[in-house]
Amino acid sequence: MMAESPEKKIIVDEDWKKQVEAEKEAFRRMQEEKKSAQKPSSLPPASFSFLVTTLANQAMVSLGLIPNPLTHQTECRLDEAQHFIDTLQILYDKTEGNRTPEETALLEDLLHQLRLGYISMQEKLAAGVPPAESNRSSPS
């Protein structure tokens, strides 16, 4: 006679699904808490206007119209200023038909002001006025 093998009893742990779901939920909450605990960004939202004004500010620094934010010194680098002005012109050309009227006005105004500043700085340098003194108002 064959010996009867003990019957294998399958134990199904119904709680394992609940435990896995609870672990997933805890992990999700932990990730959300990490995100909300992170320091909020102090940067403005990315936009076309922000890009344009950032490039224009770099051009102004290069023209010596505003101090370099890192060194707090006024520097004049006309070749660098020309590069930023040319970059803004490329943005103007390549985004034609895709800008809002406000974006177009901002870009046109900045290009105009930067070009005037560039010509003014060229003339001052040609006249022998040092870049640091060219931005100071002369006494009357």
Side-chain angles (χ1 to χ4, degrees), residues 30-86:
M30 187 175 71
Q31 293 296 84
E32 286 178 6
E33 287 172 7
K34 276 185 182 179
K35 285 181 183 176
S36 65
Q38 290 176 348
K39 189 171 120 179
S41 176
S42 61
L43 295 175
S47 68
F48 183 78
S49 297
F50 180 72
L51 173 64
V52 167
T53 55
T54 299
L55 291 169
N57 282 334
Q58 289 297 315
M60 288 183 224
V61 168
S62 299
L63 286 171
L65 299 175
I66 59 175
N68 183 320
L70 299 176
T71 65
H72 305 290
Q73 300 296 315
T74 302
E75 307 156 353
C76 183
R77 295 181 307 277
L78 286 180
D79 57 334
E80 192 174 285
Q82 184 65 56
H83 175 76
F84 286 115
I85 294 168
D86 290 346

Side-chain angles (χ1 to χ4, degrees), residues 3-115:
E4 286 187 32
S5 62
E7 187 177 318
K8 292 184 179 179
K9 188 172 183 178
I10 299 176
I11 300 173
V12 177
D13 185 3
E14 291 295 324
D15 291 333
W16 74 273
K17 289 181 182 177
K18 290 179 184 174
Q19 183 179 354
V20 168
E21 288 301 318
E23 288 173 357
K24 284 182 182 178
E25 180 63 24
F27 180 74
R28 187 187 61 74
R29 275 189 306 228
M30 187 175 71
Q31 293 296 84
E32 286 178 6
E33 287 172 7
K34 276 185 182 179
K35 285 181 183 176
S36 65
Q38 290 176 348
K39 189 171 120 179
S41 176
S42 61
L43 295 175
S47 68
F48 183 78
S49 297
F50 180 72
L51 173 64
V52 167
T53 55
T54 299
L55 291 169
N57 282 334
Q58 289 297 315
M60 288 183 224
V61 168
S62 299
L63 286 171
L65 299 175
I66 59 175
N68 183 320
L70 299 176
T71 65
H72 305 290
Q73 300 296 315
T74 302
E75 307 156 353
C76 183
R77 295 181 307 277
L78 286 180
D79 57 334
E80 192 174 285
Q82 184 65 56
H83 175 76
F84 286 115
I85 294 168
D86 290 346
T87 300
L88 286 167
Q89 182 62 51
I90 289 169
L91 272 174
Y92 183 84
D93 294 341
K94 294 290 186 176
T95 58
E96 186 67 39
N98 293 310
R99 296 182 304 267
T100 65
E102 294 81 14
E103 291 169 338
T104 298
L106 173 68
L107 191 48
E108 287 174 348
D109 183 52
L110 287 171
L111 279 167
H112 177 74
Q113 295 300 319
L114 290 170
R115 288 178 177 137

